[in-house]
């Protein structure tokens, strides 16, 4: 059978041949581009975890910037031949590639976000990516030394692992702390650690310290100044009531200060803040000083330390006191009678006047003696109060800054 082609037939065959060759050249040219490589990898649709013979995938963490983690793992299914695609790496969307899920073991709320919508895949299947991990960590911090509190808090970063399958983390890089100050707390250091004899328990040991300047100004300094004002109030005289009124004002002011700060102070924990005990002791100082001042004021005036129980020596109660007043009035009346009629009973009137003056002098001397005793006791109490207050504040400061309360930070691991 013989076949004959006309000129138009040869033209059609030639055109189809050229079109096929051109299409093949275009397809081959397109498939060796980086984007074609990316699309080819995406079409593979490997969204599950890379799995080898031991069912465990190692996630390497070469760099940690406190909140941002640089992670790296290998997926053998995402490799390509460099002779076909002459590229060492390619950019793929995160949504089309499996990525490890990280969480904080001792975190109350953990949120992991991708730092970008893309990641880098190398020709050997190595995937490089960065994630931002935010977590509210359940960590009991030693607040015994507040406002000079300082402690360490572990942040346990883990991946999913169960019954020999899953992923494991390898912290083999460095850690950098950036912007470690938040509120009243500041981050002093952060180190990558691993629990003893446990390769699957990695954590970041974070050192925290309270910025003591603000709590010292708002909490410690007012208590120190109030006790100092109470000590200086001994310069006021016992008589007149000015000192007692001032001390009562100090006690009421400190009580209102504690009521306002009741909700601001740190709560109770295994290591309860000693600043609560400090405020209690300061309040005892102020109240005891006020009571002593009132007792000494009564001693200076009446010569008695216990009121309404025993009268002072030589005093009379009830009718005796009123009869004494009547006797003084009679003496004064007799003096006026003497002035009118000096010729009658001069000796008797003069003896009564002398007796009245002597008794008045004795009362004055007795009052001066009581005031002297009260002043002496007041000075002794002042120096004792000053020495005890200084020793107390020095001791409390040393306890707040040097005492250590031990807290178990790893009770979430059992």
């Amino acid at each position: 059978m013989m076949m004959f082609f006309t000129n138009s037939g040869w033209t059609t065959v030639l055109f189809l041949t050229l079109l096929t060759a051109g299409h093949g050249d275009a397809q081959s040219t397109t498939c060796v581009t980086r984007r074609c490589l990316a699309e080819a990898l995406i079409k593979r649709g490997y969204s599950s975890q890379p799995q080898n013979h031991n069912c465990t995938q190692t996630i390497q963490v070469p760099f940690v910037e406190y909140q941002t983690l640089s992670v790296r793992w290998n997926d053998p299914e995402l490799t390509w031949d460099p002779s076909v695609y002459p590229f060492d790496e390619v950019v793929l969307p995160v949504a089309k590639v499996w990525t490890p899920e990280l969480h904080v073991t001792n975190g109350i709320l953990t949120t992991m976000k991708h730092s970008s919508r893309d990641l880098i895949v190398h020709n050997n299947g190595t995937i490089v990516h960065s994630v931002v991990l935010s977590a509210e960590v359940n960590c009991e911090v030693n607040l015994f030394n507040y406002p000079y509190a300082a402690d360490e808090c572990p942040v346990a970063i883990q991946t999913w692992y169960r019954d020999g399958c899953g992923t494991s983390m390898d912290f083999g890089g460095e850690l950098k702390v950036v912007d470690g100050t938040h509120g009243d707390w500041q981050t002093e250091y952060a180190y990558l650690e691993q629990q003893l004899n446990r390769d699957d328990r990695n954590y970041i040991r974070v050192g925290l310290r309270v910025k003591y300047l603000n709590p010292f100004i708002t909490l410690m300094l007012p208590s120190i100044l109030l006790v100092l004002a109470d000590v200086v109030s001994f310069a006021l005289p016992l008589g007149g009531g000015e000192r007692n009124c001032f001390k009562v004002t100090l006690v009421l002011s400190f009580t209102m200060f504690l009521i306002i700060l009741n909700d601001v102070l740190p709560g109770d924990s295994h290591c309860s803040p000693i600043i609560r005990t400090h405020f209690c002791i300061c309040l005892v100082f102020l109240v005891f000083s006020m009571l002593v001042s009132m007792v000494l004021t009564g001693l200076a005036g009446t010569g008695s330390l216990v009121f309404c129980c025993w009268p002072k020596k030589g005093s009379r109660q009830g009718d005796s006191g009123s009869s004494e007043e009547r006797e003084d009035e009679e003496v004064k009346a007799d003096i006026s009678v003497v002035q009118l009629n000096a010729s009658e009973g001069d000796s008797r009137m003069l003896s009564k006047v002398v007796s009245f003056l002597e008794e008045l002098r004795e009362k004055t001397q007795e009052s001066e003696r009581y005031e002297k005793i009260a002043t002496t006791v007041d000075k002794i109490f002042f120096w004792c109060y000053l020495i005890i207050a200084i020793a107390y504040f020095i001791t409390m400061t040393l306890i707040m800054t040097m005492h250590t309360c031990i807290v178990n930070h790893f009770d979430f691991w059992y």
Side-chain angles (χ1 to χ4, degrees):
M1 181 177 181
M2 300 181 62
M3 297 180 63
F4 298 95
F5 293 93
T6 62
N7 291 334
S8 60
W10 283 109
T11 304
T12 303
V13 172
L14 182 61
F15 177 77
L16 291 174
T17 303
L18 293 175
L19 181 62
T20 304
H23 179 70
D25 294 340
Q27 184 176 5
S28 61
T29 304
T30 304
C31 288
V32 296
T33 61
R34 192 186 297 270
R35 189 166 188 177
C36 180
L37 172 61
E39 293 296 329
L41 295 176
I42 293 174
K43 288 180 180 179
R44 296 181 184 181
Y46 295 125
S47 58
S48 62
Q49 171 193 330
Q51 302 182 32
N52 48 30
H53 296 289
N54 59 4
C55 198
T56 303
Q57 177 67 37
T58 301
I59 308 299
Q60 298 179 354
V61 184
F63 180 74
V64 180
E65 193 175 352
Y66 199 43
Q67 290 181 339
T68 304
L69 284 77
S70 177
V71 292
R72 180 181 300 173
W73 67 97
N74 187 269
D75 191 345
E77 307 297 336
L78 296 180
T79 60
W80 66 87
D81 188 0
S83 62
V84 178
Y85 298 97
F87 306 107
D88 294 331
E89 66 278 332
V90 67
V91 177
L92 295 182
V94 175
K96 300 298 182 178
V97 180
W98 176 87
T99 56
E101 187 71 21
L102 307 180
H103 67 275
V104 178
T105 306
N106 58 333
I108 302 175
L109 177 63
T110 305
T111 303
M112 190 188 79
K113 296 181 179 180
H114 301 283
S115 61
S116 63
R117 294 185 298 178
D118 300 313
L119 48 76
I120 298 177
V121 180
H122 293 269
N123 59 357
N124 59 355
T126 301
I127 302 175
V128 180
H129 187 44
S130 297
V131 295
V132 178
L133 195 64
S134 302
E136 296 179 8
V137 181
N138 181 18
C139 180
E140 184 176 353
V141 182
N142 175 23
L143 294 176
F144 179 85
N145 310 94
Y146 189 84
Y148 306 103
D151 203 358
E152 295 181 349
C153 185
V155 181
I157 302 177
Q158 303 292 325
T159 56
W160 181 83
Y161 183 85
R162 188 177 183 85
D163 299 332
C165 288
T167 55
S168 62
M169 299 194 67
D170 179 17
F171 285 92
E174 60 175 340
L175 188 147
K176 184 178 181 181
V177 179
V178 179
D179 188 20
T181 302
H182 298 281
D184 291 335
W185 291 87
Q186 63 180 2
T187 303
E188 291 194 321
Y189 56 85
Y191 299 109
L192 293 172
E193 300 285 346
Q194 188 177 79
Q195 195 178 26
L196 222 57
N197 301 325
R198 292 297 298 266
D199 296 337
D200 58 334
R201 292 184 175 180
N202 302 284
Y203 64 93
I204 302 176
R205 181 161 57 93
V206 182
L208 303 173
R209 179 176 295 276
V210 176
K211 293 185 290 186
Y212 64 88
L213 184 59
N214 186 32
F216 177 81
I217 294 176
T218 57
L219 299 178
M220 290 293 296
L221 188 59
S223 62
I224 296 174
L225 293 179
L226 284 174
V227 175
L228 178 61
D230 187 55
V231 172
V232 177
S233 66
F234 282 91
L236 297 174
L238 283 173
E242 291 86 359
R243 182 196 291 188
N244 294 335
C245 292
F246 182 74
K247 288 182 175 293
V248 171
T249 304
L250 289 180
V251 172
L252 293 178
S253 300
F254 193 71
T255 304
M256 292 299 298
F257 173 73
L258 294 183
I259 293 175
I260 295 173
L261 293 179
N262 186 39
D263 298 332
V264 180
L265 295 177
D268 294 331
S269 61
H270 174 69
C271 296
S272 180
I274 197 175
I275 194 171
R276 293 179 179 270
T277 306
H278 163 71
F279 286 148
C280 180
I281 295 175
C282 290
L283 183 60
V284 171
F285 278 172
L286 295 177
V287 173
F288 185 72
S289 175
M290 178 188 67
L291 295 178
V292 170
S293 180
M294 291 181 177
V295 171
L296 293 181
T297 301
L299 177 63
T302 62
S304 177
L305 291 175
V306 182
F307 310 105
C308 303
C309 295
W310 296 283
K312 64 178 182 178
K313 185 178 180 181
S315 63
R316 291 174 293 178
Q317 296 179 348
D319 296 337
S320 60
S322 58
S323 62
E324 184 179 356
E325 294 177 357
R326 288 195 298 270
E327 184 179 354
D328 294 339
E329 294 178 356
E330 291 177 358
V331 171
K332 294 179 181 179
D334 292 339
I335 293 175
S336 62
V337 172
V338 170
Q339 293 176 353
L340 296 175
N341 190 4
S343 60
E344 299 178 358
D346 293 340
S347 59
R348 185 171 63 85
M349 292 295 102
L350 290 176
S351 62
K352 288 185 177 182
V353 171
V354 171
S355 177
F356 173 75
L357 295 176
E358 288 180 354
E359 186 177 357
L360 184 61
R361 185 181 62 183
E362 290 178 359
K363 290 181 179 180
T364 304
Q365 292 177 353
E366 185 179 10
S367 178
E368 291 177 354
R369 185 170 65 253
Y370 292 151
E371 291 181 0
K372 185 177 180 180
I373 295 174
T375 303
T376 303
V377 176
D378 187 60
K379 290 181 179 179
I380 295 174
F381 179 77
F382 164 74
W383 287 108
C384 293
Y385 186 28
L386 179 61
I387 294 173
I388 293 175
I390 293 175
Y392 164 74
F393 280 109
I394 293 176
T395 304
M396 182 57 67
T397 303
L398 292 177
I399 292 175
M400 285 184 176
T401 55
M402 300 182 63
H403 180 75
T404 302
C405 183
I406 300 176
V407 180
N408 182 18
H409 299 297
F410 299 96
D411 53 355
F412 58 91
W413 274 331
Y414 51 87

